[in-house]
Amino acid sequence: MRVFTGARRAGRTRKARRPVPRLPRPARAVLGALPGLAAAAALALCAHGVEEAVQEHADHRSATARATGTHTAPRPPIVPRSAWLAETPPGQPPPRYDDTVVAVFVHHTDSPNAYSCAETPRIIRYLHAGQTGVRRWDDIGYNFLVDRCGVIYEGRAGGVDRPVTGAHTQGFNHRTVGIAAIGTFTAGVEVPRVMTDAIAALAAWKLGPSGTDPRARVRLVSSHSGSRYAAGTRAGLPAVAGHGDGYMTSCPGAALTARLPEIRDLAARLQNRPRDAPARHSVSAGRSTGGGDQGRRR
């Protein structure tokens, strides 16, 4: 806005006016930006780059989490089931659901590591055929699969946003999600960082709605005596566990098992939880009313 300091029109009393102090240039720039928040956001993106804008958004989400007590994470990109399976096989029963998700079990597929990521859909089809054919399961057991390039694929049918009852960890398929790393990750095998980052992002997102800290321990009720725990036993397990925590197996392999602590820590950060806050709470998870593990177990 311009300020006129000259004489007023004739007929009006002329008054002496004090000079209007000029604000420093940075202050004028800030005031000029106030009328348009959208314009200010656009200028910030141009001036500071996309990374700073994303960090500002993350800081805002962290502040919101502290204020509201909620700790959720954004949904990571997920390739739909239709990318590897054209249509639902005839005779496949409808999916079953739990009320929530309070734990994640990490697996490896025990398949070759020397594959290109363009081959992933074919590999998942092969895994599906083995589980539904030779093992006579009703569908692929894993809820999600992650390849060596960090790409997440929808596995078991039912909807990625819903708490689908899987068939991945015998005795503990209820209220849990099974995430399979495509490959074999025994001792000494390199586990790609993009793969563990994707697993952490998926775990953070799926555990968010139940308020479960990925670093916590949860209580799950075994539904099958073929697991490490007799049916009906309340077992204390990590919220982000390896397959071997619930079943007598070396899965997900020593190399991937060794990466689980950092996966838990990253998942907690993605939920905007303080790094130095211990995960003391324990979520109690009873058996779902959706039925047992028969025909759906691994």
Side-chain angles (χ1 to χ4, degrees):
M1 179 179 69
R2 294 184 63 189
V3 178
F4 293 91
T5 57
R8 294 178 182 266
R9 292 182 179 179
R12 295 185 181 180
T13 305
R14 183 174 182 177
K15 296 180 180 180
R17 301 194 61 182
R18 296 180 180 179
V20 178
R22 292 182 63 81
L23 295 173
R25 182 173 295 176
R28 296 200 305 272
V30 171
L31 289 176
L34 286 177
L37 293 178
L43 288 173
L45 286 173
C46 294
H48 302 291
V50 175
E51 291 184 3
E52 287 78 0
V54 170
Q55 182 60 48
E56 182 179 353
H57 176 66
D59 292 343
H60 174 73
R61 290 183 65 248
S62 181
T64 302
R66 290 193 298 270
T68 63
T70 59
H71 294 279
T72 57
R75 168 180 163 170
I78 300 171
V79 178
R81 178 179 168 95
S82 59
W84 59 268
L85 192 66
E87 57 185 24
T88 301
Q92 179 176 306
R96 291 190 290 179
Y97 300 94
D98 290 299
D99 59 332
T100 190
V101 171
V102 299
V104 167
F105 281 97
V106 178
H107 306 255
H108 68 173
T109 58
D110 200 21
S111 55
N113 292 342
Y115 62 91
S116 72
C117 293
E119 297 177 286
T120 300
R122 179 187 60 79
I123 295 171
I124 299 176
R125 280 195 302 273
Y126 172 81
L127 294 168
H128 175 268
Q131 293 180 356
T132 58
V134 177
R135 299 189 181 186
R136 302 180 67 82
W137 295 355
D138 59 351
D139 192 4
I140 192 168
Y142 313 114
N143 298 98
F144 301 93
L145 300 97
V146 180
D147 71 13
R148 60 195 300 269
C149 294
V151 180
I152 302 171
Y153 285 81
E154 177 185 11
R156 195 170 184 83
V160 297
D161 296 302
R162 303 186 65 183
V164 179
T165 306
H168 49 84
T169 306
Q170 184 167 284
F172 297 103
N173 288 320
H174 295 295
R175 286 187 156 188
T176 67
V177 162
I179 304 173
I182 298 176
T184 302
F185 298 101
T186 50
V189 175
E190 180 183 358
V191 185
R193 176 64 179 270
V194 290
M195 176 179 273
T196 57
D197 285 354
I199 292 171
L202 192 51
W205 173 57
K206 293 300 291 185
L207 293 175
S210 66
T212 304
D213 188 327
R215 302 164 298 184
R217 294 185 68 83
V218 299
R219 293 193 179 278
L220 300 172
V221 178
S222 173
S223 61
H224 199 285
S225 293
S227 73
R228 285 192 180 276
Y229 302 88
T233 302
R234 299 181 71 83
L237 298 170
V240 178
H243 186 187
D245 288 314
Y247 187 73
M248 288 75 70
T249 178
S250 60
C251 178
L256 184 50
T257 298
R259 302 288 295 275
L260 291 178
E262 70 181 65
I263 289 173
R264 296 181 188 113
D265 288 343
L266 176 56
R269 293 201 300 273
L270 292 172
Q271 286 187 349
N272 297 301
R273 294 181 183 274
R275 295 190 182 190
D276 56 350
R280 295 176 178 174
H281 71 283
S282 178
V283 179
S284 179
R287 178 175 171 177
S288 165
T289 57
D293 288 340
Q294 185 175 0
R296 314 172 74 88
R297 57 183 181 264
R298 181 171 188 268

